[in-house]
Each structure stands twice: as C-alpha cells, then as structure tokens.
C-alpha cells in the first residue's frame, strides 16, 4: 500500500516538474510592467527580465531611482515615475503603458511597490498611521491593477502580486500585515474572476529578505516615532523596558534576513514566463519551513507560543 502511494507521489512530482518547466513562447515580444523598481525586488526583477530579453516597463517613485536602473540595463527597458497613492499618477502611467504596448496588450503586471512603516504595537498607532501603509500596499495596488486589467486581458497575460508571509500570520501591529492579508484576498477573488479570460494571477509570499521594507534602522526609527506620539497612559502601561525589548528584536532583522533577493525574483520570473505558473510562491526557507506551517496551526496554539515567547508590557496581568 505504502509503495503505491510513494510511486504515485513520485509520478505526481515528475508531472508537476515537467509542467512547470514549460516556458511561454516569444518572450522577447512581451511587455511587463513592474511597480516599485527603485530598489529591492522590483529593481532586481527589472534587470533580470531585461537580461532575458523581455520588454520591461519599470515604474519608479523617484527620478534618481529610474536613472540608476536605466544605467544598469539595456535600451529595451523604459521607466516611468509612479506614485501608486495618487490617482493622477496612476492615470498618467496607464496612458504611458498603452502607448508602448499598443494592440498587443500587457503580458505581465507585477505589483511590487510597498512600505512597512509606520509600524509598532497597534495601540501606539493612529488611524493615519494605518492609512499610510494601506494606501500604498493595498489600495494603490488595487487601483493600478484595475486600471491595467483591460490591457492584461487583451494579452491573456499575468498579474503577479507581492504579498508576504505576514499575509498568512500577523506577528506585529500596524497596517503592513493587514494590507498583505488584503492582497491575498484580492488576489484570490481576482484569479477566479479572470480565469474566464485566460488571465493567471499569482501571489508571491516572501519570508525575511534584506530590503528597504525590512531595514532595521528604518523600522526602529518608526517605532521610536510612534512611541513618542503615544499617550502618557499607553507609555505607562507598556513601559520603557517593553520599548527596549521591542527595538532589540527589530535590530536582529539585519542578521536574520536573507541577502539573496533572487530567491524572490526567480519566483516572480517563473510566474511570468511559465506556461503553468503556481497560484502561490513561498520564497525563502523561513517561509517554507516556519511561517507556512505556522499558518496552518490552530490559532490558539500560535497565540500561546507568541504569548510565552514575547516580552510582556509592564502592566500585563
């Protein structure tokens, strides 16, 4: 009995491997629009796809980021300035893309732009702190996607949305985890709706990688800022010892995050170029061996582990 199961499992994996290695034809004729290309995953993916011969349309937040990217790539790659939180900027970018793709449509849309701050314990934050992150990571991504859908549908292309392992489990407060859970939900509904048109939607769920999003200096500065703006009651309840411990955990990110961003961009490239892309990609060993299994555990068990392993506020019961 077990032998049959092992054989079936082996055959299934061989079939899956064969399917996933089938590559879309005429990649050199296909346009891919990527947001957040100033640095990090977006920047590396743009250079990676450019080397593969694809026509990359890279959206950067700053002109300096766009100039630096152009200096490292071929003449095929083109850049545009885009702030995903501003409708007028999105509209201008859409028109710019239309002029370049013409009747061929847009093969790939990669929603990569994102921020992680302000962040911290929820009670330290204001509504505006949450809104700042949600505007970029969720609402901006949704507006770009909805605006690009006619072009993607015309090409029967791909939408690749960058989520996070924090889109499966929430280990800290603020808008980041909320936004990534929203990316997961939006992507699921979008994938099912667009399947009727031959459009595929993939979700990338990176673990810990060294980017601007995980910069310990940036995150520590943000936590100190929201602590300073917190009420005297909140400061009394949590205490300076809790703040110090919280910051020490953040400072460990530089040691624990992987520097190999290609583990993520390879997933993105596969989602764009494979005939049979996956629905979800878990990038990084921490995503595969820690966060993904934890997301399937009973909630009460995860709560207990977090409770007993984390620093308690001064006034905790």
């Amino acid at each position: 009995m077990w032998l049959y199961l092992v054989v079936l499992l082996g055959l299934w994996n061989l079939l899956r491997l064969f399917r996933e290695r089938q590559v879309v034809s005429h990649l050199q004729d296909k346009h891919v629009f990527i947001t957040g290309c100033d640095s990090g995953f977006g920047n590396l993916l743009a250079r990676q796809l450019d080397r593969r011969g694809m026509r990359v349309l890279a959206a950067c937040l700053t002109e300096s980021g766009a100039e630096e990217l152009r200096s490292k790539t071929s003449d095929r790659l083109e850049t545009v300035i885009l702030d995903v939180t501003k409708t007028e900027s999105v509209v201008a970018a859409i028109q710019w893309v239309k002029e370049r793709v013409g009747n061929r449509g847009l093969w790939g849309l990669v929603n990569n732009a994102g921020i992680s701050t302000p962040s911290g314990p929820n009670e330290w934050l204001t509504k505006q702190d949450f809104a700042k992150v949600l505007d970029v990571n969720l609402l901006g991504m949704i507006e770009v996607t909805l605006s690009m859908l006619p072009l993607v549908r015309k090409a029967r292309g791909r939408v690749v949305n960058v989520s996070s392992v924090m889109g499966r489990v929430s280990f800290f407060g603020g808008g980041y985890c909320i936004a990534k859970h929203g990316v997961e939900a939006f992507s699921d509904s979008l994938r099912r709706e667009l399947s009727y048109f031959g459009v595929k939607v993939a979700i990338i769920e990176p673990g810990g990688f060294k980017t601007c999003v995980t910069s310990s200096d940036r995150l520590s500065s943000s936590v100190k800022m929201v602590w300073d703006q917190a009420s005297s009651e909140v400061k009394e309840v949590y205490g300076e010892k809790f703040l110090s411990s919280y910051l020490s955990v953040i400072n460990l990110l530089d040691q624990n995050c992987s520097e190999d961003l290609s583990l993520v961009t390879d997933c993105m490239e596969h989602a764009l170029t494979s005939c049979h892309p996956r629905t979800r990609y878990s990038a990084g060993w921490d995503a595969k061996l820690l966060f993904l299994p934890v997301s399937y555990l009973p909630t009460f068990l995860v709560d207990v582990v977090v409770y007993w392993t984390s620093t308690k506020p001064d006034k905790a019961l």
Side-chain angles (χ1 to χ4, degrees), residues 158-183:
R158 310 286 169 82
V159 177
V160 180
N161 292 331
V162 180
S163 178
S164 166
V165 289
M166 293 301 141
R168 286 182 172 267
V169 286
S170 298
F171 282 137
F172 55 87
Y176 187 81
C177 295
I178 297 171
K180 294 307 182 180
H181 275 74
V183 170

Side-chain angles (χ1 to χ4, degrees), residues 118 121-135 139 174-175 178 226 229:
N122 288 311
E123 199 175 3
W124 299 9
L125 303 168
T126 65
K127 177 182 177 182
Q128 287 70 34
D129 292 330
F130 285 89
K132 181 178 179 180
V133 178
L134 291 170
D135 277 348
L139 299 179
I178 297 171
V226 297
Q229 76 181 17

Side-chain angles (χ1 to χ4, degrees), residues 258-271:
S258 171
E259 296 182 357
D260 188 3
L261 305 189
S262 66
L263 294 175
V264 179
T265 56
D266 285 349
C267 293
M268 296 173 170
E269 182 178 345
H270 186 271

Side-chain angles (χ1 to χ4, degrees), residues 177-293:
C177 295
I178 297 171
K180 294 307 182 180
H181 275 74
V183 170
E184 297 273 342
F186 176 68
S187 301
D188 281 342
S189 62
L190 192 69
R191 183 182 64 255
R192 289 157 188 154
E193 293 170 358
L194 296 183
S195 64
Y196 302 109
F197 306 104
V199 175
K200 293 179 171 60
V201 179
I203 306 169
I204 312 295
E205 299 172 336
F209 289 88
K210 284 189 177 181
T211 67
C212 293
V213 168
T214 57
S215 166
S216 61
D217 289 341
R218 183 172 299 188
L219 289 170
S220 295
S221 177
S222 172
V223 168
K224 291 174 184 176
M225 179 192 71
V226 297
W227 170 260
D228 290 339
Q229 76 181 17
S231 67
S232 57
E233 180 183 0
V234 166
K235 290 181 179 178
E236 180 182 354
V237 168
Y238 282 86
E240 294 285 346
K241 181 180 177 181
F242 180 90
L243 172 63
S244 177
S245 177
Y246 199 93
L247 291 173
S248 66
V249 171
I250 291 175
N251 290 331
L252 292 175
L253 283 174
D254 290 335
Q255 302 173 27
N256 295 329
C257 288
S258 171
E259 296 182 357
D260 188 3
L261 305 189
S262 66
L263 294 175
V264 179
T265 56
D266 285 349
C267 293
M268 296 173 170
E269 182 178 345
H270 186 271
L272 291 165
T273 61
S274 173
C275 291
H276 305 283
R278 301 178 187 178
T279 300
R280 281 177 167 80
Y281 293 82
S282 295
W285 288 113
D286 57 342
K288 292 179 173 69
L289 301 180
L290 176 60
F291 294 105
L292 185 60

